[in-house]
Amino acid sequence: MTSTFVAMTYNLWSEFYLDERRAALESLFTIRPPDLLAVQELRPVTRDLLDEVLPEHDRIDGEAGWATQSNLWWRRDLFTKLDHGAEDVGILSPDARLFWVRLRTPDGSELLFSTAHLTWPGHADERADHVNRRIAQARAIGATLERLAGDGACLFTVDINDIGPPQWELGNAGFLDSFTALGRHSPVTHPVVPTVATGPIGTRLSPLASPPKAIDWIFARGPLAARTSEVVDFFHDGRAPSDHYPVVATYSFTRHHP
């Protein structure tokens, strides 16, 4: 029997405008709960919100970055946790890591499920020397996942904060994103329009608006076949849950290891 599951990656936008979008977050995960969920820009308040709205899921119960950067949820009837970890791959934000969990399905298939949030191009260090930090971070992630997963099934989800070089590093490490795997280009994943944010559309670094771009990805390697891939356009009472769109993909294992 082939095991098939739905994975989602989502940047939760920290606590910005959370009161205005809390109901939209709750509605999204009530209507479309994934089997696997990876998040970025997590905070304790949004971690607790997700725990409440995903009662059939487990997650890593960890401190530091597991509470303030990223975490991973899985449906407990579909997956059992074997082990987990957080690897330093050079991401500059405090407690930012490559977060991962090793899971097993009831039929014996194993999956290394992971996430990261690569350094924002506006970080002070990068603005000072104009060196792209995400290339080295993506290279380190590829090497780390090779060590952790080998040729086994591996999903890497990411807010990559870039539109070229780090994706190429992952592609050359054997990963394929869920859209390319299906012969497609990814739609825009950031920014969401309309937004609940008030004020000008520029950033504190420039009056220019953030250009529409695809920076949220699900990458796979090993015995996994992509079946569907979608950037989810979701609003509740006219409000978006985040300034990023969720990315959702369906995968099937193509072999298992009893």
Side-chain angles (χ1 to χ4, degrees), residues 2 7 22 29 37 48 59 69 94 97 103 115 120 158 180 194 196 201 207-208 210-211 218 225 231 244-245 250 255:
T2 301
R22 182 188 301 270
F29 289 102
L37 171 66
D48 294 345
R59 62 164 169 82
Q69 288 285 351
R97 299 287 188 271
L103 302 169
T115 195
W120 179 48
V158 63
T180 301
V196 300
I201 61 174
L208 298 183
S210 179
I218 300 176
V231 172
H244 289 243
Y245 293 101
T250 305
R255 72 170 189 265

Side-chain angles (χ1 to χ4, degrees), residues 124-133:
D125 290 2
E126 187 160 332
R127 287 191 290 131
D129 62 15
H130 304 292
V131 174
N132 186 326
R133 266 51 179 188

Side-chain angles (χ1 to χ4, degrees), residues 54-68:
L54 296 172
E56 298 178 348
H57 292 65
D58 290 328
R59 62 164 169 82
I60 301 301
D61 186 15
E63 299 300 324
W66 291 106
T68 60

Side-chain angles (χ1 to χ4, degrees), residues 70-91:
S70 291
N71 211 313
L72 302 159
W73 278 258
W74 60 91
R75 264 182 55 181
R76 69 178 65 92
D77 62 331
L78 296 182
F79 296 97
T80 300
K81 187 190 81 164
L82 300 178
D83 60 350
H84 71 277
E87 312 290 325
D88 185 356
V89 290
I91 302 169

Side-chain angles (χ1 to χ4, degrees), residues 32-52:
R32 299 196 57 159
D35 301 321
L36 296 174
L37 171 66
V39 301
Q40 304 84 40
E41 293 196 27
L42 181 70
R43 301 295 183 266
V45 62
T46 48
R47 179 196 60 190
D48 294 345
L49 183 155
L50 289 172
D51 284 346
E52 291 178 8

